[in-house]
Amino acid sequence: MSRKPSAFTLVELLVVIAIIGVLVALLLPAVQAARESARRMQCVNQMKQFGLAFLGYEDTAGSFPAGRQGCDNNLVAKECQNLGKGLGGGDMGKSGASAFLPTLPYLEEQQLFDLWHIDDVAIWYVDPSNNWYRNPDVERALAQSVELFNCPSDNSEPYALYKHHVPTSGRADIPVRAGSYGLSMGPIGPTTPFPGNDVKFDNTGMFVYGRRFRIPEITDGLSKTFFTGETKNGHDPNSSSIYSNGNRCNLMRSTYLPLNYPVDVGAVVQNAAEAGGPGGFTNCTFSSPHPGGGNFQFGDGHVSFLTDAMSDELYQAISTRSQGEVIVE
């Protein structure tokens, strides 16, 4: 007797395909969660390296770097006075170099550090048609990618759309790399019509314009004072975060408003220079691409994930360097 060949019927195939589809649908969230967990861990490891770099710099220089090396047009801090002229005639007391740049040698980026010339070029982010000095090394540094400053969960475009208030397009284009991490100014934040000297110089966080703090000045304790936190969409004028540019409400953020507070809600700054572009707005907040909160690097080098649900009082307390708050978690 002949035996019929065994095979699946069409109905059986459809049932199997349906079962596989259901299993994939059930597994996909778990796979995505695992991927996000890996990306978040990479962000944590990158921020830990920032902590080690800041401590290494402090051990060598005797203080932590200033949030902005210079004092903009208001040379009130003694560190910004009588620093002379740099290459091209720029006043070194007005340098825009951020606190990240002096730490580059401690992040194994010595060659990039050399390109920045932070000791002899007042770094500007403006159009050369305004007759600001252009240095070819600095232009190369502005455009160079540094993986450490980009969180893999952050879907920012690589280049900022605006460098300060000048668009990075057209004949005068100088590509400027954005980043995923900001410096902590403290709890003083936006005011109307825009932040003033209280934000730039008198804030109570780790990074302000011109001033450099030593470990004994961090009386709240390094383990209870965060230095850096996450940002997202750093290429966008409304959430601009350029790792090399020490600028209030841009790279330098505050805890005036809660973590992940919507950028277009509440006390925002409608000011081109602060937000990064004409008509832009910002609220100086930290923001994270990770759901439920964000990663923050503390002075002793450890990184903690702070949730959106944490109290404003605790959030602001751990952003200050010497206020003496009693922190109750």
Side-chain angles (χ1 to χ4, degrees), residues 51-205:
L52 293 175
F54 282 127
L55 289 170
Y57 178 91
E58 195 280 338
D59 185 58
T60 301
S63 66
F64 294 104
R68 179 188 176 103
Q69 182 168 290
C71 297
D72 204 358
N73 289 318
N74 191 344
L75 304 181
V76 298
K78 63 180 181 180
E79 293 91 343
C80 297
Q81 299 172 5
N82 303 317
L83 295 183
K85 303 292 182 180
L87 299 176
D91 190 330
M92 292 305 299
K94 299 178 181 179
S95 171
S98 80
F100 282 130
L101 296 191
T103 68
L104 286 173
Y106 302 89
L107 296 170
E108 299 184 347
E109 293 287 352
Q110 181 66 50
Q111 291 183 334
L112 178 59
F113 172 77
D114 293 338
L115 290 178
W116 281 109
H117 295 285
I118 64 173
D119 294 324
D120 53 26
V121 172
I123 299 169
W124 303 103
Y125 299 83
V126 291
D127 192 294
S129 64
N130 293 332
N131 297 318
W132 297 93
Y133 178 64
R134 292 182 63 170
N135 180 282
D137 282 352
V138 173
E139 289 184 23
R140 288 172 56 200
L142 282 167
Q144 186 165 322
S145 174
V146 184
E147 185 177 354
L148 271 177
F149 291 108
N150 295 283
C151 174
S153 295
D154 184 8
N155 294 319
S156 296
E157 296 177 13
Y159 296 107
L161 298 178
Y162 280 79
K163 45 183 182 289
H164 211 24
H165 60 279
V166 178
T168 57
S169 61
R171 183 171 54 85
D173 178 33
I174 303 175
V176 177
R177 286 280 177 175
S180 304
Y181 307 102
L183 302 169
S184 174
M185 297 186 297
I188 302 175
T191 56
T192 302
F194 55 86
N197 286 344
D198 55 342
V199 171
K200 293 195 297 184
F201 303 105
D202 301 327
N203 227 316
T204 56

Side-chain angles (χ1 to χ4, degrees), residues 2-49:
S2 61
R3 180 178 298 176
K4 292 183 179 180
S6 61
F8 289 110
T9 66
L10 179 59
V11 173
E12 289 173 330
L13 284 173
L14 291 175
V15 170
V16 170
I17 291 172
I19 292 173
I20 292 174
V22 171
L23 291 176
V24 169
L26 292 174
L27 290 174
L28 188 58
V31 172
Q32 292 175 332
R35 288 177 176 174
E36 167 56 22
S37 178
R39 289 192 293 263
R40 195 173 91 178
M41 184 55 62
Q42 183 174 337
C43 291
V44 168
N45 291 335
Q46 290 174 183
M47 298 182 80
K48 286 182 178 179
Q49 292 186 59

